[in-house]
Amino acid sequence: MKKTNLLILLILLIHLLLLSNLRFTAWPEMILWPYFILKGLLPYRDIAIAHNALLIFDLALFYKIFGISLFSLKIYTWILILSTDLLVYWVARKITKKEETALLSLAFYVLWQPYFEGNGVWFDLFLAPLGLLIFYFLWSKEFFWSGIFAGLAILVKQTAFWFIFPIGFSFWFIQNLKIKSIKKFLIGLAAPLLIFLVYLFKVGILQDFYFWAIKFGVGYLPHAPGQIQLPTIKQIFSLGIPCAFVFLTMITLLLQCNGVKEIQKLFLPFLVWCFFTSLGVFPRWGYFHLQPALPFLAVISSVSLYLISKTWPKLFLGVYLILFFLGVIYLQSRFYYLNWQKPDRFFEKETLEVASWLKEKTNPGEKIFILNSWDHLYALSETLPAVSPWVPTLPWYMEYPGIQDEIVFDLQKEKPKIVVFEDYKLKGLGSYKPEKIDKFLQENYILDRIIDGRFLILNLKEK
């Protein structure tokens, strides 16, 4: 046991070493939204958030204790990831009853977690441990606790909707479709949801929540302009390497090889959970949206390797392993070459310079406006937006009927002295121009200076 603990500690230290040397993605929203909340702004009423807010509240609490900084965000992210490491090992050992399989599951998770854009907290990363906890407590027939974590998952992100299907499968698989068991699960599920609804009602933002998180986030956003982004053929085929052992086990099932009953017992539940927890990657493809599926992929890969080693000839298995490792080397070497000790995303030198200039030229809490640039400049400069609610200048928000009119109205009312603006690019998200807002700025603001050849500082015209 002592040797196992040391091995676990070594794997965790390797994971932390990798994360601390890889490019960190400091998503602007993970700084900005908690900052706004700590400044007294309310989600949905003062901040346009299309997601559920549990992660934002958790980050705000963390920042309140440790301060808002890139370092704090890194520590929060790495604690979350390493906790998921331990959870992967613990769940695998509990379910498979095999120490080697549990250690191998942990190793697989550490192998793929950074690769799938995991070095930066986003809602999907937070769903990863919650999904695994829902599965484990269902497997252990602790239905109330499974329901609790399912409710928390829904409060993190609406894509937890996909968890409904593997949850239903798990009830059927463990042969516990009893009213009493389902009732316990539903009570657990309702508990965090009711607490959240009481909060929304008490602070008077229930209607705002309905508009942004449900009507906009669920009803409009998935079909909004620019929101649909499908994977390339190359991206789809590249998933074949991480899923290599899963594919071989599926072939084993189809061929009805020896040991098929054991394969079905351990393999099918993880396969179902792995598949449905990956569906959050649609409609806007991104590797980091696959994070909830990775704990299940890690365990299913180790289970598959153990089982196919007893089924297939050693020569075939040896060749298959060589091809797998060659594929891993190809994918991982390119990934680490592009990301090893590279500057943190969204905290580049020029971003920090303009934040420093803004902090020097404004008073704490002063209202400014940022267009087509990184919105976490509000947090870095300790300023506030001149519009309410603050809305991201992204096409799927700006093209919603009435949004630009509201922003222009607020700008006319507040008349912020400073506007930070970046020139529109030829392609990508930075190429989008909100016509009504752009026209207002051209008519009412004048260029004062350009910082680092990138950030345009506009001042209000004197009348």
Side-chain angles (χ1 to χ4, degrees):
M1 191 66 178
K2 185 176 180 181
K3 184 179 178 181
T4 299
N5 291 338
L6 289 174
L7 190 55
I8 294 171
L9 179 61
L10 176 62
I11 296 174
L12 263 62
L13 288 174
I14 291 172
H15 199 175
L16 182 59
L17 177 66
L18 295 175
L19 293 170
S20 61
N21 281 280
L22 285 166
R23 184 200 303 271
F24 184 82
T25 300
W27 296 106
E29 296 88 341
M30 298 297 103
I31 292 284
L32 179 70
W33 292 345
Y35 165 77
F36 280 164
I37 288 174
L38 291 176
K39 288 296 181 180
L41 277 66
L42 287 174
Y44 310 114
R45 189 192 71 184
D46 304 316
I47 316 165
I49 303 177
H51 300 288
N52 291 337
L54 180 60
L55 171 58
I56 306 306
F57 284 127
D58 197 48
L59 269 171
L61 178 61
F62 190 84
Y63 288 150
K64 188 175 180 64
I65 298 171
F66 299 102
I68 299 175
S69 67
L70 176 61
F71 180 73
S72 295
L73 182 59
K74 286 184 176 182
I75 295 302
Y76 180 94
T77 304
W78 295 340
I79 289 174
L80 177 61
I81 292 171
L82 295 180
S83 299
T84 308
D85 283 348
L86 292 173
L87 190 60
V88 168
Y89 167 80
W90 181 72
V91 170
R93 184 169 60 85
K94 286 285 186 178
I95 291 178
T96 67
K97 312 296 184 184
K98 298 180 185 297
E99 195 72 47
E100 298 82 0
T101 305
L103 288 170
L104 194 57
S105 299
L106 175 58
F108 274 121
Y109 184 69
V110 171
L111 175 66
W112 295 117
Q113 192 278 328
Y115 174 81
F116 283 96
E117 299 174 352
N119 196 20
V121 69
W122 190 251
F123 301 94
D124 305 88
L125 185 70
F126 205 75
L127 283 179
L130 292 177
L132 198 56
L133 285 168
I134 297 168
F135 168 78
Y136 172 73
F137 283 112
L138 281 173
W139 185 276
S140 303
K141 299 183 181 180
E142 297 285 345
F143 302 109
F144 173 79
W145 284 106
S146 181
I148 288 285
F149 288 110
L152 293 175
I154 292 172
L155 293 180
V156 170
K157 194 178 182 185
Q158 293 93 320
T159 53
F161 159 81
W162 291 113
F163 293 9
I164 293 174
F165 299 99
I167 287 171
F169 173 84
S170 297
F171 270 104
W172 169 81
F173 189 83
I174 61 177
Q175 298 179 346
N176 213 305
L177 286 171
K178 299 176 181 177
I179 298 297
K180 184 178 179 181
S181 302
I182 298 173
K183 185 178 178 180
K184 286 181 180 179
F185 176 84
L186 293 176
I187 291 172
L189 175 71
L193 298 181
L194 286 175
I195 292 172
F196 183 62
L197 286 174
V198 169
Y199 162 78
L200 295 175
F201 181 78
K202 185 176 181 181
V203 298
I205 58 172
L206 183 59
Q207 187 174 350
D208 301 291
F209 167 78
Y210 170 77
F211 175 78
W212 285 112
I214 300 176
K215 184 178 179 180
F216 179 85
V218 177
Y220 171 80
L221 190 59
H223 316 288
Q227 182 67 7
I228 298 175
Q229 183 175 317
L230 299 178
T232 64
I233 298 298
K234 183 179 179 181
Q235 287 174 324
I236 293 176
F237 275 104
S238 68
L239 296 178
I241 303 301
C243 300
F245 297 119
V246 180
F247 293 150
L248 187 56
T249 305
M250 291 174 68
I251 294 172
T252 304
L253 280 169
L254 292 173
L255 294 177
Q256 296 289 295
C257 296
N258 294 331
V260 69
K261 291 183 179 179
E262 184 179 7
I263 291 173
Q264 288 176 330
K265 182 180 179 181
L266 293 172
F267 179 80
L268 287 179
F270 286 105
L271 178 64
V272 170
W273 274 88
C274 187
F275 174 74
F276 281 102
T277 53
S278 71
L279 293 183
V281 76
F282 299 107
R284 187 168 174 79
W285 177 274
Y287 276 153
F288 60 95
H289 291 311
L290 292 168
Q291 286 292 326
L294 295 186
F296 298 101
L297 179 63
V299 179
I300 198 174
S301 295
S302 62
V303 169
S304 296
L305 183 58
Y306 170 76
L307 293 170
I308 61 180
S309 66
K310 293 188 170 185
T311 306
W312 292 89
K314 291 184 178 180
L315 178 61
F316 172 83
L317 188 60
V319 173
Y320 198 81
L321 286 172
I322 291 173
L323 293 174
F324 170 75
F325 283 119
L326 288 174
V328 169
I329 292 170
Y330 170 74
L331 292 180
Q332 298 277 359
S333 59
R334 186 173 184 274
F335 168 76
Y336 280 94
Y337 173 77
L338 294 174
N339 293 280
W340 190 255
Q341 295 187 340
K342 294 295 191 297
D344 299 318
R345 287 185 68 192
F346 308 111
F347 270 78
E348 297 84 359
K349 176 176 172 290
E350 56 269 27
T351 302
L352 296 177
E353 285 185 14
V354 73
S356 178
W357 184 89
L358 284 169
K359 196 170 184 178
E360 181 182 338
K361 298 297 181 181
T362 59
N363 298 317
E366 182 175 335
K367 293 183 177 181
I368 67 172
F369 185 63
I370 297 171
L371 178 66
N372 201 42
S373 190
W374 304 134
D375 291 303
H376 63 311
L377 286 172
Y378 289 116
L380 298 179
S381 61
E382 297 182 14
T383 55
L384 291 172
V387 297
S388 182
W390 168 86
V391 181
T393 52
L394 295 167
W396 42 89
Y397 284 90
M398 289 292 138
E399 293 303 314
Y400 192 87
I403 292 295
Q404 291 191 52
D405 294 319
E406 291 183 15
I407 291 174
V408 169
F409 177 82
D410 285 344
L411 291 174
Q412 289 172 330
K413 178 183 175 182
E414 295 292 343
K415 295 181 173 61
K417 295 179 180 180
I418 294 177
V419 170
V420 181
F421 171 72
E422 286 191 58
D423 276 328
Y424 301 110
K425 298 175 175 59
L426 295 176
K427 59 181 180 178
L429 293 179
S431 66
Y432 170 72
K433 180 191 290 188
E435 297 292 344
K436 294 181 181 180
I437 299 172
D438 185 76
K439 180 182 178 183
F440 175 84
L441 294 180
Q442 288 189 36
E443 292 175 350
N444 294 275
Y445 285 81
I446 188 170
L447 178 65
D448 175 66
R449 68 188 66 210
I450 301 176
I451 299 177
D452 281 323
R454 173 181 169 185
F455 296 95
L456 282 68
I457 307 298
L458 308 181
N459 286 347
L460 186 66
K461 289 181 180 178
E462 295 182 2
K463 294 183 178 180

